[in-house]
């Protein structure tokens, strides 16, 4: 393996790990935000709860896929990470409309950024 190939592999693994870490943090934040939403509250609270649960599940799945030792198909990995990025951005937008959710929205955006950076290596 050449030095250039080794550098690309290290960068790939670092970005994969950074993406997985961001997914873990986003999942934690979204699960907490969903648990704080009023089940019988107004429609915006129900939306935040649904978005938070979906985002937590997608981020958790993405993290598990990225952490697997078995080599994943690049197409499968790309599709999952792209889905995660999309859900994170949608959730951040929903959180933006909820007072007190600014930090949670930022965690979602951080995860979307990590997904974008990782996807750049897959292309």
């Amino acid at each position: 393996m050449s030095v250039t190939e080794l550098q690309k592999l290290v960068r790939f693994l670092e970005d994969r790990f950074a993406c997985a870490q961001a997914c873990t943090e986003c999942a934690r934040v979204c699960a907490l935000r969903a648990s704080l939403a009023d089940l019988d509250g107004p429609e915006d609270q129900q939306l935040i709860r649904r978005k938070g649960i979906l985002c937590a599940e997608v981020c958790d799945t993405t993290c598990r896929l990225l952490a697997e030792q078995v080599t994943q198909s690049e197409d499968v990995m790309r599709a999952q990470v792209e889905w995660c990025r999309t859900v994170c951005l949608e959730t951040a937008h929903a959180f933006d409309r909820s007072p007190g959710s600014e930090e949670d929205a930022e965690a979602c955006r951080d995860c979307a950024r990590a997904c974008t950076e990782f996807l750049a290596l897959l292309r």
Side-chain angles (χ1 to χ4, degrees), residues 98-122:
S98 176
S101 299
E102 294 81 10
E103 288 181 27
D104 300 338
E106 193 55 35
C108 291
R109 284 190 185 85
D110 289 345
C111 188
R113 269 190 294 280
C115 288
T116 299
E117 290 168 7
F118 182 64
L119 285 167
L121 293 176
L122 295 177

Side-chain angles (χ1 to χ4, degrees), residues 28-99:
R28 185 191 67 74
V29 164
C30 287
L32 179 61
R33 180 56 52 192
S35 73
L36 297 174
D38 185 0
L39 289 172
D40 299 319
E43 190 175 319
D44 63 332
Q45 286 295 301
Q46 292 174 22
L47 174 68
I48 285 176
R49 186 169 186 282
R50 284 193 311 273
K51 289 285 188 184
I53 290 169
L54 175 64
C55 193
E57 289 175 354
V58 170
C59 285
D60 183 56
T61 301
T62 304
C63 181
R64 281 188 279 121
L65 180 130
L66 292 171
E68 286 182 7
Q69 295 299 321
V70 179
T71 305
Q72 295 292 325
S73 151
E74 230 179 70
D75 290 338
V76 169
M77 198 178 301
R78 182 180 296 109
Q80 181 67 37
V81 174
E82 284 176 349
W83 184 36
C84 186
R85 176 180 59 185
T86 299
V87 170
C88 285
L89 290 173
E90 289 172 359
T91 303
H93 184 66
F95 286 174
D96 283 340
R97 292 178 273 164
S98 176

